[in-house]
Amino acid sequence: MHIVNTETDRTVTEEAWNAYLFAHGRGSLYAMAQWGELVREVYGHRDIRLAALERRHGVDEVVGVLPLVAMRSRIFGHKLVSMPYVDMAGVVADTPEIEQALVTRALEIGRETGSRCVEVRQAGSLGSFDGQETLDMGAGVYTLTVARDKARMVLCLPSSSKDLWSSFKSKLRNQISRGTRDGLSARVGGDELVAPFYTVFAENMRDLGSPVHSKKLFHRVMERFSGKANIILVEKDGEPVSAAVVCSFGKALQNPWASTRRRFNKMSPNMLLYWRMLEFACDAGHTTFDFGRSTPGEGTYRFKKQWGPEPHPLHWYRFTPGEQPRSEGPAGERDRFGKAMAFWKKLPVPVTRVIGPMVRGQISL
């Protein structure tokens, strides 16, 4: 078995990489080759894809992959992440030994690039690393911390949206219907809905005190995942009120981004938005819907829980060079800037749309 970096070795094509992910039970949307490419195109970060190859029947076959992005920031320092801006990607491998080999190579690249840490975001446990705090990986000694404070909310779907609607309690159905009674409407589209989506998204991010992603990111998602990515838009008399991006991976539909303009909250547009996403998922033949990550007990977790999903704890592994005390997790990137967030909330939305992407691209969350 040997490991190649697709930056310099073209042995593993984009098609072969993605085919391995689709065939493997732990493959994910965010580990696909296109995801790292669009991050590079939008923010200029280095896209690194490590593939483990094994000779079988005279042919090199993919037996493991690890996508990474090298984030270089004057504000937050340099680090390798698999993958930034999303819940998970991480290592997908046939055996624990291959899993370890891929992580070891990532740590070597981390040292070569002067990264302060390597962060591997997994949907589940990396069993070969659990229970360890100090590791001698061959690439050096590392302190390992694992954050498990957030969970994906995943709903198993019936074969039709009609069956899903019938499974809801009357209270939930009434909350969904309220929006249409108040004149809200919903539609599904693609790249042509990026502009109204971004109107909603940018305003909501400003209200949260968070720099907004570049609009280009969403255009690239629609382009790179054409036929697999859609935007759900809720409107009131033609004005965008609430919106979300959904992307499919096999039989799963995932929701990486959703936002609502607060001034319309009294109409409960979120209820119509999420119902329309679930309806779309069922009617398109998906078997699961991933609401994205939430912190158990918080408001967004409770909102998602009412739809009936089950929580699946995320495992974010953070490898820091040396035997160091526990360092802050990825959330610290925002926690350290509480005053900045309060200031950001006061900025005009047009200003945040200009300067926000320059900051947001450096924040891995």
Side-chain angles (χ1 to χ4, degrees):
M1 187 270 293
H2 63 285
I3 294 173
V4 300
N5 182 341
T6 62
E7 286 184 302
T8 55
D9 189 318
R10 302 299 179 182
T11 304
V12 180
T13 64
E14 181 177 300
E15 292 74 19
W17 177 285
N18 289 340
Y20 176 76
L21 291 172
F22 278 111
H24 199 287
R26 295 177 67 178
S28 73
L29 167 74
Y30 307 119
M32 292 180 70
Q34 299 98 306
W35 206 268
E37 291 171 356
L38 69 87
V39 169
R40 183 188 70 242
E41 291 171 4
V42 174
Y43 291 120
H45 297 311
R46 182 182 168 195
D47 168 31
I48 302 169
R49 296 199 302 274
L50 302 179
L53 302 177
E54 192 169 273
R55 198 76 174 170
R56 294 175 179 174
H57 310 294
V59 179
D60 281 338
E61 293 187 7
V62 179
V63 292
V65 297
L66 173 54
L68 296 155
V69 167
M71 304 187 71
R72 301 185 68 83
S73 169
R74 294 179 181 178
I75 303 173
F76 305 111
H78 308 331
K79 66 178 182 177
L80 290 182
V81 188
S82 180
M83 293 287 282
Y85 320 133
V86 294
D87 299 344
M88 58 189 182
V91 186
V92 182
D94 287 2
T95 68
E97 292 74 23
I98 298 171
E99 183 179 274
Q100 285 200 2
L102 286 164
V103 171
T104 299
R105 181 65 188 117
L107 297 179
E108 290 171 352
I109 294 174
R111 284 190 179 272
E112 292 166 6
T113 57
S115 299
R116 62 184 174 87
C117 71
V118 175
E119 189 175 293
V120 181
R121 301 179 179 180
Q122 298 285 144
S125 170
L126 284 177
S128 54
F129 293 103
D130 283 347
Q132 302 184 61
E133 294 187 359
T134 302
L135 303 168
D136 187 343
M137 296 292 293
V141 176
Y142 289 82
T143 298
L144 172 62
T145 57
V146 187
R148 302 183 181 89
D149 58 319
K150 296 188 182 297
R152 296 162 55 224
M153 305 292 284
V154 180
L155 177 66
C156 292
L157 300 171
S159 58
S160 73
S161 57
K162 182 179 179 181
D163 289 342
L164 181 62
W165 180 265
S166 298
S167 73
F168 293 155
K169 295 180 180 180
S170 58
K171 179 181 179 181
L172 183 58
R173 292 199 298 266
N174 287 335
Q175 289 176 318
I176 297 168
S177 300
R178 178 182 176 182
T180 54
R181 291 196 299 267
D182 287 341
L184 298 180
S185 61
R187 57 189 173 116
V188 181
D191 190 66
E192 77 280 2
L193 295 185
V194 167
F197 164 83
Y198 199 71
T199 295
V200 176
F201 187 70
E203 184 174 312
N204 184 52
M205 290 299 103
R206 190 282 310 269
D207 291 343
L208 292 171
S210 176
V212 68
H213 271 301
S214 169
K215 188 178 180 180
K216 183 180 178 181
L217 175 69
F218 304 104
H219 280 300
R220 286 293 179 268
V221 169
M222 294 297 122
E223 174 190 314
R224 289 285 185 168
F225 295 94
S226 179
K228 297 182 179 296
N230 292 92
I231 290 174
I232 315 291
L233 179 67
V234 174
E235 300 169 293
K236 169 68 173 175
D237 299 327
E239 184 174 3
V241 171
S242 189
V245 172
V246 291
C247 300
S248 67
F249 181 81
K251 289 292 186 178
L253 189 68
Q254 296 176 277
N255 170 221
W257 298 286
S259 285
T260 293
R261 301 168 86 178
R262 293 185 178 185
R263 71 185 84 166
F264 295 99
N265 277 352
K266 62 182 180 181
M267 297 181 183
S268 301
N270 263 348
M271 302 303 295
L272 180 58
L273 176 69
Y274 276 81
W275 163 246
R276 191 65 187 89
M277 284 194 279
L278 292 169
E279 182 182 44
F280 175 79
C282 285
D283 294 343
H286 293 98
T287 57
T288 61
F289 179 81
D290 188 336
F291 287 79
R293 73 175 182 260
S294 299
T295 301
E298 292 191 354
T300 54
Y301 181 91
R302 292 192 295 270
F303 172 83
K304 294 171 183 177
K305 188 66 176 174
Q306 70 182 323
W307 300 92
E310 291 298 322
H312 295 260
L314 292 165
H315 296 67
W316 286 14
Y317 293 81
R318 188 181 182 90
F319 299 84
T320 307
E323 297 183 43
Q324 302 176 5
R326 294 182 180 275
S327 58
E328 65 181 1
E333 292 180 2
R334 282 183 179 163
D335 293 344
R336 286 183 291 155
F337 289 87
K339 291 182 180 179
M341 290 172 68
F343 169 75
W344 199 271
K345 292 179 181 181
K346 300 176 182 179
L347 294 174
V349 173
V351 173
T352 67
R353 291 175 65 151
V354 174
I355 63 176
M358 292 183 282
V359 179
R360 185 64 181 89
Q362 301 179 54
I363 301 173
S364 67
L365 288 174

